[in-house]
Amino acid sequence: MKEFVANTYGRFPVTFVKGEGCRLYDDKGREYLDFTSGIAVCNLGHCHPSVVEAVSAQAARLIHTSNLFWTVPQQKLAQEICRHSFAERVFFCNSGAEAVEAAIKLARRRGHFLLGGSYEIVCLQGAFHGRTLAALSATGQPVYKRGFEPLPAGFTHVRPNDLEALEMAVTSRTCAILLEPIMGEGGVIPLEDRFLELARELCDRRNLLLMFDEVQVGMGRTGSLFAYQQTPVTPDVMCLAKGLGGGIPIGALAASAEVMEFLPPGTHASTFGGNPVACEAGKAVFRALMEEGVLDNAKAAGAHLRQGLERLAAGHSAEIREVRGRGLIQALELKRPAPGLGGLLLEQGLLVVFGHDRIIRLLPPLTVTAAEIDQALSILDTTLKSIKK
Ligand SMILES: Cc1ncc(COP(=O)(O)O)c(C=O)c1O
């Protein structure tokens, strides 16, 4: 039946039927160690009992109403996001790209009414913000844009951590700077504190919005609830998705009340946004992270993973160029392209996100144990030895 599905993904030849914690099981009963978490989505592991229970109970009560009306789960999840961050207002949508789209619209509308029509957004080369047309325009990787031109105008891209380039890129046309505090899909590249501080300073000086895309690195992934909390700066706007719903699709745009005023009734909407089932899942994720010790585990497990990767890199210095990351988003950059490596690791029972032919991105669930990390490190070690031969 595979031929009925659009061929937009290069998929591995495996079909999964069950998940539990850090493990996935295929249709032949084989077990895999999942260090992708569905690309930073299942942050509590697969089928976390709190998420299953919250979703099942809400589905039996009320699945959907639209945003013509109020529901309590949406209000409560918005309150949780605000209680634990700089934000005071939340707009809900269904994905990362939609959260970025909402941020772009907010910045443009604010630029239109407050900054004399400024509309340009400064982004980074190598950034990834999603596949809708405006999010793609903000993305700093030409390979994803080819054939889709003309893309929406008004986005400039500077080199990450290049202070001079950032300063030069901000002009009277600029309305916002949009950054991933750690560039995930681009290769797990953390932005330097002084670069973030300069971005904050430029925004303050000109009354621009500093917008952080925390779609991949938010929700505990880096060892703090939000990645910005480990930097010296606080953004004005934050995009969330992926881990927010524990596996159920949801996205969010968070900002201060003053900034969110620029999206009054009728200016932006989403039929499914803030659906009660997704919001109950989000509430369960917050409970697990903040009250059931998952965030603490992420910190400890992140340190354990990092130490293991440093050891691995020292033992494979001819193959590994660098270990990068924070908390439980870590990457190994290889010195040479190894196109089939993702498949080799899968054969050994380890799932990773392998990109750009040389970046092994490790995104285990935040519930991962030290023993599971050691098992993954051992598979990486064996597989790297096998490609050396
Ligand atoms: C930082 C970042 N922003 C946006 C997106 C797009 O999210 P989605 O695929 O849910 O649209 C991604 C997806 O990988 C991402 O990593």
Side-chain angles (χ1 to χ4, degrees), residues 103-356:
I104 293 167
K105 286 183 72 176
L106 172 62
R108 283 204 175 180
R109 204 167 181 283
R110 182 176 174 275
H112 182 89
F113 288 107
L114 191 71
L115 305 174
S118 300
Y119 62 90
E120 230 170 60
I121 300 182
V122 176
C123 310
L124 297 186
Q125 292 170 11
F128 186 82
H129 296 295
R131 304 287 195 144
T132 56
L133 284 178
L136 194 56
S137 245
T139 289
Q141 302 187 53
V143 61
Y144 295 134
K145 305 186 182 191
R146 206 161 296 141
F148 295 108
E149 300 89 350
L151 289 169
F155 297 87
T156 54
H157 294 85
V158 301
R159 259 198 343 202
N161 296 325
D162 184 335
L163 302 178
E164 207 176 313
L166 181 64
E167 189 133 26
M168 298 274 290
V170 173
T171 69
S172 58
R173 289 188 304 277
T174 309
C175 66
I177 299 178
L178 172 64
L179 310 167
E180 299 161 82
I182 300 173
M183 297 164 70
E185 201 275 346
V188 187
I189 300 165
L191 296 182
E192 291 165 9
D193 282 354
R194 56 201 185 119
F195 187 74
L196 294 174
E197 279 168 334
L198 176 63
R200 181 68 274 173
E201 192 191 310
L202 291 168
C203 287
D204 289 344
R205 211 186 293 160
R206 291 171 178 262
N207 198 13
L208 316 178
L209 292 182
L210 180 60
M211 310 202 291
F212 276 12
D213 179 347
E214 293 224 14
V215 165
Q216 183 155 167
V217 294
M219 299 311 293
R221 180 57 51 196
T222 62
S224 50
L225 183 59
F226 301 112
Y228 81 82
Q229 291 163 334
Q230 288 184 65
T231 76
V233 307
T234 301
D236 303 302
V237 171
M238 177 168 68
C239 303
L240 298 173
K242 289 191 182 276
L244 179 59
I248 304 293
I250 186 167
L253 176 73
S256 69
E258 193 189 336
V259 168
M260 205 64 99
E261 286 284 297
F262 286 93
L263 289 181
T267 53
H268 195 50
S270 164
T271 298
F272 287 117
N275 169 291
V277 176
C279 288
E280 276 300 311
K283 280 170 56 197
V285 170
F286 266 96
R287 263 196 315 277
L289 286 174
M290 307 312 288
E291 292 161 32
E292 295 163 20
V294 175
L295 194 56
D296 292 333
N297 186 70
K299 283 187 198 116
H304 186 72
L305 176 61
R306 181 60 185 238
Q307 277 166 12
L309 291 172
E310 303 274 3
R311 266 198 315 277
L312 191 77
H316 291 274
S317 55
E319 288 79 39
I320 298 173
R321 182 187 303 285
E322 197 181 19
V323 184
R324 290 193 293 267
R326 201 169 289 155
L328 286 173
I329 175 166
Q330 296 286 340
L332 290 174
E333 179 171 343
L334 303 178
K335 287 189 171 161
R336 280 176 298 278
L341 188 61
L344 286 178
L345 288 167
L346 178 127
E347 278 169 26
Q348 299 306 311
L350 175 64
L351 309 178
V352 302
V353 184
F354 186 64
H356 307 279

